[in-house]
């Protein structure tokens, strides 16, 4: 849903292809055809879409929905498989694995699952996938978090998702970290 927000509230849809949807997880990323991935009337799987269209860059932001499922280790195994699958389907692309965006302080302090400690544990694992050659780790948290490492409270309506106007901050961060407008 966060990436879906980036699609809906930034200017990136004009220069990028989005394969995103609310509630998508790393566990169901490559399962069955998706309503939101289409060619004409045909629904495609993510694998089919990535096989048919080659990209120069692929940005992956996924992980908040998985916080209550499995362990950090099982999450990382599924995430790594997804990155390897994307690499297989996009052999010439630069892959940017994005750190999971943290939550606001109130959520962090009150939720035993959706908190920044759990997010940071997963982000450390995600970062290990970067090789500095064709897979890079980027972390939008440096642009959207306060001095305590929490998502700015006034930038979110539910302690997890950005308000519409703050997706521009994420867009700007991505523009400074690898996206070039045409």
């Amino acid at each position: 849903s966060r990436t879906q927000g980036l699609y809906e509230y930034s200017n990136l849809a004009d220069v990028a292809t989005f394969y995103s949807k609310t509630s998508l997880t790393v566990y169901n990323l490559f399962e069955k055809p998706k309503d939101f991935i289409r060619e004409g009337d045909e629904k495609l799987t993510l694998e089919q879409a990535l096989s048919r269209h080659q990209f120069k860059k692929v940005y992956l932001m996924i992980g908040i929905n998985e916080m209550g499922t499995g362990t950090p280790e099982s999450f990382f195994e599924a995430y790594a498989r997804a990155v390897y699958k994307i690499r297989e389907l996009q052999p010439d692309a630069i892959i940017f694995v994005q750190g999971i965006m943290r939550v606001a302080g109130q959520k962090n302090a009150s939720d035993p699952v959706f908190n920044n400690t759990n997010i940071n544990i997963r982000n450390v694992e995600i970062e290990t996938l970067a090789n500095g050659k064709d897979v890079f780790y980027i972390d939008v948290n440096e642009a959207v978090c306060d001095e305590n490492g929490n998502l700015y409270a006034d930038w979110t309506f539910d302690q997890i998702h950005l308000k519409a106007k703050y997706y521009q901050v994420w867009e700007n961060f991505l523009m400074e970290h690898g996206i070039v407008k045409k």
Side-chain angles (χ1 to χ4, degrees):
S1 56
R2 290 167 157 183
T3 301
Q4 188 62 29
L6 187 65
Y7 170 74
E8 292 174 7
Y9 301 115
S10 75
N11 298 307
L12 293 175
D14 296 336
V15 296
T17 301
F18 279 77
Y19 298 136
S20 62
K21 184 177 191 249
T22 301
S23 301
L24 189 63
T25 75
V26 74
Y27 301 114
N28 66 11
L29 200 56
F30 290 100
E31 289 181 4
K32 66 185 176 182
K34 310 287 188 201
D35 288 337
F36 60 94
I37 305 176
R38 292 182 174 269
E39 281 193 3
D41 292 334
E42 181 186 11
K43 289 188 224 177
L44 303 177
T45 65
L46 181 58
E47 182 172 354
Q48 288 171 317
L50 291 175
S51 295
R52 293 181 186 185
H53 305 283
Q54 293 300 300
F55 298 100
K56 293 179 182 177
K57 298 174 185 177
V58 174
Y59 289 76
L60 181 62
M61 165 64 89
I62 198 160
I64 194 71
N65 293 328
E66 295 86 334
M67 297 299 293
T69 304
T71 64
E73 294 79 17
S74 64
F75 165 78
F76 176 70
E77 289 170 8
Y79 194 103
R81 280 192 305 273
V83 170
Y84 299 144
K85 184 68 165 178
I86 292 168
R87 165 57 56 229
E88 175 188 321
L89 298 169
Q90 296 288 311
D92 298 323
I94 296 171
I95 299 172
F96 292 92
V97 290
Q98 298 181 72
I100 303 165
M101 192 182 299
R102 295 187 193 114
V103 298
Q106 182 180 355
K107 183 79 165 171
N108 179 53
S110 65
D111 197 304
V113 175
F114 294 92
N115 61 61
N116 293 331
T117 298
N118 287 338
I119 290 170
N120 292 339
I121 289 167
R122 283 161 176 79
N123 282 347
V124 167
E125 294 296 322
I126 292 169
E127 187 173 10
T128 67
L129 295 170
N131 62 18
K133 180 183 160 203
D134 58 3
V135 179
F136 294 89
Y137 177 78
I138 57 175
D139 192 356
V140 71
N141 288 305
E142 65 189 64
V144 299
C145 289
D146 63 23
E147 66 278 356
N148 297 314
N150 299 312
L151 183 63
Y152 287 112
D154 58 338
W155 287 22
T156 177
F157 61 90
D158 64 356
Q159 306 287 307
I160 295 175
H161 298 89
L162 294 173
K163 291 178 182 174
K165 69 181 179 178
Y166 295 107
Y167 279 97
Q168 185 64 51
V169 174
W170 188 2
E171 177 183 349
N172 291 341
F173 176 84
L174 292 174
M175 296 299 278
E176 294 169 6
H177 293 84
I179 293 179
V180 178
K181 281 191 176 183
K182 293 179 182 178

